[in-house]
C-alpha cells in the first residue's frame, strides 16, 4: 500500500506543479511531503524493520551423544581460526547423521547441567499490527529471520570435543584394544 501512496503522491506533485491553478502550490507541497514521508517509511522499514517486532520461537530437545550412546560426547568442528564453531548434535539415538548448528547470525552457549538437552531459540521479525502489515506487506518481510541461539546443556560426565580430538581419541582406543587383545592371548 505504501508504494501506491508514493505513486499517487508523486503524480499529485507533478500534476499540481504542471497545471496552473489557485491553491495548487499548497497541494504540490503537501504531495511532496507525502512523497518524502513514504520514502522515509520504506527506507526505515527496509533497514530498521520499522513497523515490525521480534517473535521468539523456543524448542527444547533431548541431547544424545554425537558419536555413540556409550560415549557421552558433544562434537564441534572449528571454522577458520577456531573462534567460530559448528556443533554436531543428535536428538535421537536412531538418528544416522548429526544435525549441525547454523553459522549465520548464531550464538552458541555450552553449559554444564544435570540433564543433556539443547534449547534452540529462533528470533524472527513479524508485523506489529494489521495496519503495518497492510502498509508494508508488499515487501514480504513477515517472518523474516533475525537470529538463532543454541544453548547446549551437558552433564559433567560428557566431553565437548572437536572432530580432530575425536579422531585422536579413536586412534588411542584402537591402540588400547590391540594391546588388550595381545595381553589376553
Amino acid at each position: 500500500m505504501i508504494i501506491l501512496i508514493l505513486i499517487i503522491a508523486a503524480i499529485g506533485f507533478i500534476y499540481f506543479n504542471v497545471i496552473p491553478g489557485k491553491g495548487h502550490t499548497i497541494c504540490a507541497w503537501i504531495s511532496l511531503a507525502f512523497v518524502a514521508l513514504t520514502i522515509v517509511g520504506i527506507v526505515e522499514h527496509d533497514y530498521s524493520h520499522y513497523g515490525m517486532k521480534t517473535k521468539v520461537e523456543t524448542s527444547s530437545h533431548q541431547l544424545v551423544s554425537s558419536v555413540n550412546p556409550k560415549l557421552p560426547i558433544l562434537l564441534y568442528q572449528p571454522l577458520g581460526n577456531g573462534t567460530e564453531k559448528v556443533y554436531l548434535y543428535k536428538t535421537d539415538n536412531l538418528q544416522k547423521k548429526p544435525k549441525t548448528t547454523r553459522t549465520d547470525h548464531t550464538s552458541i552457549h555450552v553449559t554444564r547441567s544435570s540433564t543433556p538437552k539443547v534449547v534452540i531459540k529462533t528470533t524472527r521479525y513479524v508485523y506489529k499490527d494489521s495496519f503495518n502489515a497492510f502498509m508494508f506487506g508488499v515487501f514480504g518481510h513477515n517472518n523474516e529471520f533475525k537470529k538463532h541461539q543454541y544453548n547446549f546443556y551437558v552433564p559433567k560426565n560428557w566431553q565437548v570435543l572437536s572432530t580432530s580430538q575425536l579422531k585422536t581419541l579413536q586412534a588411542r582406543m584402537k591402540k588400547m584394544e590391540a594391546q588388550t587383545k595381545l595381553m589376553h592371548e
Side-chain angles (χ1 to χ4, degrees), residues 90-138:
K90 289 184 181 179
T91 56
D92 187 6
N93 280 327
L94 301 175
Q95 194 176 327
K96 297 288 184 198
K97 291 185 177 183
K99 297 177 183 178
T100 59
T101 58
R102 296 176 60 117
T103 57
D104 58 325
H105 305 288
T106 301
S107 64
I108 301 171
H109 303 285
V110 178
T111 308
R112 296 292 179 177
S113 75
S114 58
T115 57
K117 68 178 178 178
V118 58
V119 178
I120 304 167
K121 293 182 182 179
T122 304
T123 307
R124 297 185 179 280
Y125 289 107
V126 294
Y127 290 111
K128 285 182 182 176
D129 50 35
S130 58
F131 174 75
N132 285 304
F134 178 69
M135 291 299 285
F136 300 109
V138 69

Side-chain angles (χ1 to χ4, degrees), residues 1-4 42 45 127 132-141:
M1 184 63 180
I2 197 159
I3 292 178
L4 184 62
I42 291 169
H45 176 72
Y127 290 111
N132 285 304
F134 178 69
M135 291 299 285
F136 300 109
V138 69
F139 299 116
H141 291 175

Side-chain angles (χ1 to χ4, degrees), residues 56-71:
V56 179
E57 297 171 353
T58 304
S59 62
S60 180
H61 306 282
Q62 177 186 353
L63 192 62
V64 296
S65 176
S66 301
V67 182
N68 184 328
K70 296 175 186 175
L71 295 171

